Amino acid sequence: MQTALLLIVLLWPVAAALLLHFVRGSAARALAFGASLVELALAVYMTVAFQVNSQPQFEINYPWLASAGINFHIGVDGLSLLLVLLTAFLVPLILLASFRHDYENPSVFYALVLFMQTGLIGVFVAMDAFVFYFFWEVALIPIYFLAGVWGGERRVQVTLKFFIYTVVGSLLMLAGFVYLYYMTGANGAVRSSDLTAFYNLRLSAAEQSWVFLLVFSAFAVKMPIFPLHSWQPDTYEQSPTPATMLLSGIMLKMGIYGTMRWVLPVVPLGVSQWSWLVMILAVIGIIYGALIAIRQRDMKRLIAFSSLSHVGLMIAGMFSLTAVGLQGTAIQMLAHGVNVVGMFFISDIIERRTGTRQIPELGGLTRATPLLSVTFLVILLGTVALPLTNGFVGEFLLLMGVYQYNPWLGAVAGLTIIFGAVYLLRMFQRVMLGPDSSFSSVIRDLTGAELAVLVPLILMVFWIGLFPGTFLHISEPAVNKLLVLINR
């Protein structure tokens, strides 16, 4: 049963997506939501059965293109398990959040979300380079249609821009993987695209340098890292809210996870040659994203630039190549996923109630919406990294990692907490507490369905903040193994 469990977790969403072809309307929503709950239950069961150590578990390794040494090899360690859990936890909430919208062709819309879920989980559990690349592309295709068909007025040009960025990045990654694959066959050995074979490669410093540039480029686009971020604010703004939640809450982690799994331990000499540049760009992204966020009038764009700033800190912590930096990256991926999905959902609620996301047009909403005010404030404080909330744990570890790498960079990166408090609390003050607007007395408070989305997110804000050991304990052996590979 354990051998098949991961395969079921991987394929269940796409099986449900195929079933959606036979239902319409509200039945499609119910089927998609029910299937996502089953997926969550399977992921939780897999977590309970997981033995905390550094070895991959629930592995499946069958020949795919046997003559070429390519296998369908999947498995989970603590790092990938956390991201499978995050995906399984967020997708039902994202589906539930979408129920207030009447999307044309709902069965296709929800099928794409579930199809994307399989792609995301495949990325997190792949242990073969070409399997990883396959699921990477599988995860990208649905978001292209979700944004391009159900997005805003500028959806066509924005989606085209996103498509060009991601395709170019994917091709560079494929070129890097192909080179690594051929190098496994050096000295007459059998070629293999297995993750372990890549780890065992001994490439020269020059080879590792340009392989790093090729593979990291794809991940840098997806995170994104400054200055490759220009697709992000427009895509977040123009995509339907569920697609924005998927992009920011889960898909963004593909790049960070991919770097931890397929770059740092594979080409450590390349990392050592370029880490200074990545660190500088990450810190620039922290400051740039925060400063631009302060100037935003649109709530959705403000959250998008806020995300750029927070991701910059995750990248800097990761490239510190310290235990606390990598552990901070692991838990901050969870915290950021929870917080950014909550922030975008609240932005969507306010837009549906008032018809606008423009901050200057809002104000005084808290008078009629006590529940919305409280939930908004809790998730916002988690994003600001208030102690005892989920954001604090990750950002504290990340800053420790960056400080150990370079105290000056650590000091500059620490500005993300100050800037974050400025633009997020300012948004809350102007939207919820500012002078009364025309919506102050007529806006409705949260419904039961909306609370059903926000309450689990708030529980996670406090669970990660109060008991971070639950999650750090799972990822620690995998992180330590990565460090051994990086420093070999």
Side-chain angles (χ1 to χ4, degrees):
M1 176 60 187
Q2 285 215 349
T3 305
L5 181 58
L6 182 56
L7 192 63
I8 296 171
V9 169
L10 176 65
L11 298 181
W12 172 256
V14 76
L18 294 175
L19 287 177
L20 282 172
H21 177 70
F22 302 101
V23 296
R24 294 289 183 272
S26 59
R29 296 192 307 194
L31 177 57
F33 182 61
S36 68
L37 290 179
V38 172
E39 178 73 357
L40 175 59
L42 289 168
V44 170
Y45 176 74
M46 190 167 72
T47 304
V48 172
F50 182 79
Q51 302 294 318
V52 178
N53 58 53
S54 63
Q55 299 305 312
Q57 296 169 44
F58 309 103
E59 276 188 272
I60 295 174
N61 192 358
Y62 290 123
W64 182 14
L65 299 172
S67 59
I70 300 173
N71 289 358
F72 182 79
H73 188 187
I74 58 175
V76 291
D77 62 5
L79 187 60
S80 48
L81 180 65
L82 289 184
L83 290 166
V84 171
L85 266 179
L86 177 70
T87 307
F89 172 72
L90 288 181
V91 167
L93 300 181
I94 292 170
L95 288 171
L96 192 57
S98 71
F99 285 4
R100 287 290 173 180
H101 295 274
D102 291 323
Y103 294 111
E104 191 176 349
N105 297 321
S107 57
V108 177
F109 182 89
Y110 294 117
L112 286 170
V113 174
L114 293 176
F115 191 68
M116 184 175 170
Q117 187 177 16
T118 283
L120 290 165
I121 291 176
V123 165
F124 298 139
V125 303
M127 301 189 70
D128 181 282
F130 292 115
V131 174
F132 177 85
Y133 182 79
F134 170 77
F135 282 114
W136 180 276
E137 296 301 310
V138 167
L140 292 178
I141 293 170
I143 202 67
Y144 174 78
F145 288 108
L146 287 170
V149 176
W150 288 276
E153 292 179 356
R154 296 191 295 117
R155 62 184 181 277
V156 174
Q157 63 192 81
V158 167
T159 307
L160 179 62
K161 185 178 183 180
F162 171 72
F163 181 75
I164 292 172
Y165 265 87
T166 54
V167 166
V168 171
S170 296
L171 291 176
L172 292 174
M173 176 173 63
L174 180 61
F177 280 170
V178 168
Y179 181 80
L180 292 171
Y181 166 74
Y182 273 99
M183 291 310 295
T184 61
N187 303 320
V190 177
R191 291 193 180 100
S192 171
S193 53
D194 195 86
L195 182 63
T196 304
F198 281 15
Y199 285 171
N200 291 332
L201 281 171
R202 295 293 182 269
L203 303 179
S204 67
E207 289 173 308
Q208 292 197 31
S209 176
W210 65 265
V211 170
F212 170 85
L213 293 175
L214 285 174
V215 180
F216 181 68
S217 296
F219 301 145
V221 168
K222 193 56 61 207
M223 291 173 191
I225 188 172
F226 178 89
L228 303 175
H229 67 282
S230 65
W231 63 269
Q232 185 200 42
D234 290 338
T235 308
Y236 282 15
E237 181 190 16
Q238 291 296 309
S239 297
T241 299
T244 306
M245 291 170 157
L246 286 165
L247 274 165
S248 60
I250 312 173
M251 181 172 269
L252 178 151
K253 280 70 185 180
M254 286 168 51
I256 300 172
Y257 171 82
T259 302
M260 293 179 77
R261 181 72 72 199
W262 294 93
V263 175
L264 302 185
V266 174
V267 287
L269 295 179
V271 173
S272 66
Q273 293 175 67
W274 292 105
S275 62
W276 64 273
L277 178 60
V278 176
M279 290 292 278
I280 290 173
L281 293 177
V283 172
I284 291 175
I286 291 170
I287 305 302
Y288 171 82
L291 293 177
I292 300 298
I294 291 173
R295 296 174 54 85
Q296 294 305 306
R297 297 162 60 92
D298 184 299
M299 291 182 68
K300 222 172 173 182
R301 289 185 71 85
L302 186 152
I303 300 167
F305 281 107
S306 160
S307 180
L308 174 66
S309 181
H310 285 97
V311 167
L313 181 58
M314 280 189 263
I315 297 168
M318 176 169 57
F319 273 83
S320 71
L321 305 180
T322 60
V324 290
L326 291 171
Q327 278 284 69
T329 306
I331 198 162
Q332 189 64 3
M333 283 195 281
L334 300 183
H336 179 268
V338 169
N339 293 337
V340 78
V341 164
M343 293 289 283
F344 276 122
F345 183 52
I346 287 172
S347 165
D348 182 63
I349 291 171
I350 292 174
E351 184 184 8
R352 278 190 285 110
R353 299 279 204 279
T354 64
T356 181
R357 299 191 305 260
Q358 295 298 311
I359 296 171
E361 297 176 9
L362 300 166
L365 302 187
T366 193
R367 186 151 59 91
T369 59
L371 288 175
L372 176 62
S373 300
V374 171
T375 52
F376 189 5
L377 184 61
V378 170
I379 293 174
L380 184 143
L381 291 177
T383 309
V384 172
L386 187 77
L388 306 183
T389 64
N390 57 354
F392 174 77
V393 180
E395 294 207 357
F396 178 73
L397 294 175
L398 289 166
L399 287 173
M400 281 183 64
V402 180
Y403 183 82
Q404 289 178 16
Y405 178 85
N406 184 302
W408 290 106
L409 281 179
V412 177
L415 294 175
T416 185
I417 295 178
I418 300 171
F419 284 139
V422 170
Y423 58 75
L424 288 172
L425 292 176
R426 184 165 166 261
M427 175 176 68
F428 185 84
Q429 189 273 328
R430 297 179 68 179
V431 171
M432 306 304 293
L433 304 174
D436 283 355
S437 64
S438 57
F439 311 108
S440 300
S441 58
V442 297
I443 187 171
R444 288 185 298 110
D445 206 351
L446 295 177
T447 65
E450 289 161 346
L451 278 172
V453 175
L454 290 170
V455 168
L457 294 174
I458 288 174
L459 290 176
M460 288 303 295
V461 167
F462 289 117
W463 187 357
I464 298 174
L466 293 172
F467 308 104
T470 311
F471 305 94
L472 293 172
H473 174 64
I474 294 174
S475 60
E476 185 176 13
V479 165
N480 289 336
K481 184 177 179 180
L482 284 178
L483 280 171
V484 170
L485 290 166
I486 292 167
N487 296 317
R488 67 184 185 271

